[in-house]
Amino acid sequence: MTIGDLLEPGAVTLRVSAANKRQVLGVIADVAARVFGVDANEALEGLVERESAGSTGVGQGVAIPHARLSGIDRVRVVFMRLETPVAFGSVDDKPVDLLVALFAPRDADSSHLRALARISRMMRQPELREQLRKARSADAVHVMLTQAHESKPTAA
């Protein structure tokens, strides 16, 4: 499974303005509703519930919010880039501007955990994050994410 298997071009949104974490999650839920045909309120509720268990801000301006939903048959991804970074309670206390939101079916097997791990490894790459921040179009972002390879773990 690659991120290209999970991300449709229509699920990439750039230049999003939001004042806070809840607004960001609301925009993600709206994109998921439009692109995947899920209920926006259920998507928002799932994202907010997961965030209440602990922030999905993984550092370096990246968050990977996720939720399980009814109405989808496989893991799906929404990518969003914010105009202005938003406080997200990230592990490094830095605001977030790149979000890769993952939605899994309510009865998903471990495939959603593998997808989360893969996205996390991929977003650790400084070069990829910089390219995503500079991309001029949703199509360019889609190509970058589809062609990106996970970084290999380094020996400590």
Side-chain angles (χ1 to χ4, degrees):
M1 164 189 17
T2 68
I3 194 160
D5 298 329
L6 310 175
L7 178 69
E8 299 171 28
V12 175
T13 307
L14 308 180
R15 297 180 286 282
V16 173
S17 294
N20 56 49
K21 182 194 267 193
R22 179 145 182 120
Q23 282 185 2
V24 170
L25 297 176
V27 176
I28 290 170
D30 290 343
V31 172
R34 178 176 45 82
V35 178
F36 311 144
V38 298
D39 180 83
N41 291 327
E42 180 188 0
L44 177 59
E45 186 177 301
L47 292 170
V48 168
E49 183 178 315
R50 171 57 189 86
E51 287 299 319
S52 69
S55 177
T56 57
V58 297
Q60 303 301 316
V62 175
I64 309 173
H66 48 281
R68 290 178 181 248
L69 300 177
S70 54
I72 59 172
D73 59 354
R74 62 185 174 89
V75 175
R76 310 287 290 273
V77 170
V78 169
F79 176 86
M80 183 171 297
R81 187 178 71 203
L82 302 177
E83 281 286 325
T84 304
V86 169
F88 220 81
S90 299
V91 296
D92 62 359
D93 290 325
K94 292 184 179 174
V96 164
D97 65 335
L98 300 176
L99 297 105
V100 185
L102 187 139
F103 295 96
R106 286 219 180 268
D107 60 352
D109 59 13
S110 63
S111 63
H112 74 290
L113 297 175
R114 288 192 304 275
L116 271 172
R118 182 162 294 203
I119 290 166
S120 178
R121 285 190 299 269
M122 192 174 64
M123 294 305 290
R124 286 186 195 132
Q125 299 174 50
E127 310 82 32
L128 177 61
R129 290 192 310 267
E130 192 58 32
Q131 290 174 348
L132 292 170
R133 288 183 173 113
K134 290 180 178 177
R136 294 181 178 264
S137 71
D139 288 339
V141 166
H142 185 262
V143 168
M144 285 176 207
L145 291 173
T146 301
Q147 295 178 352
H149 298 287
E150 300 170 36
S151 59
K152 302 292 184 226
T154 55

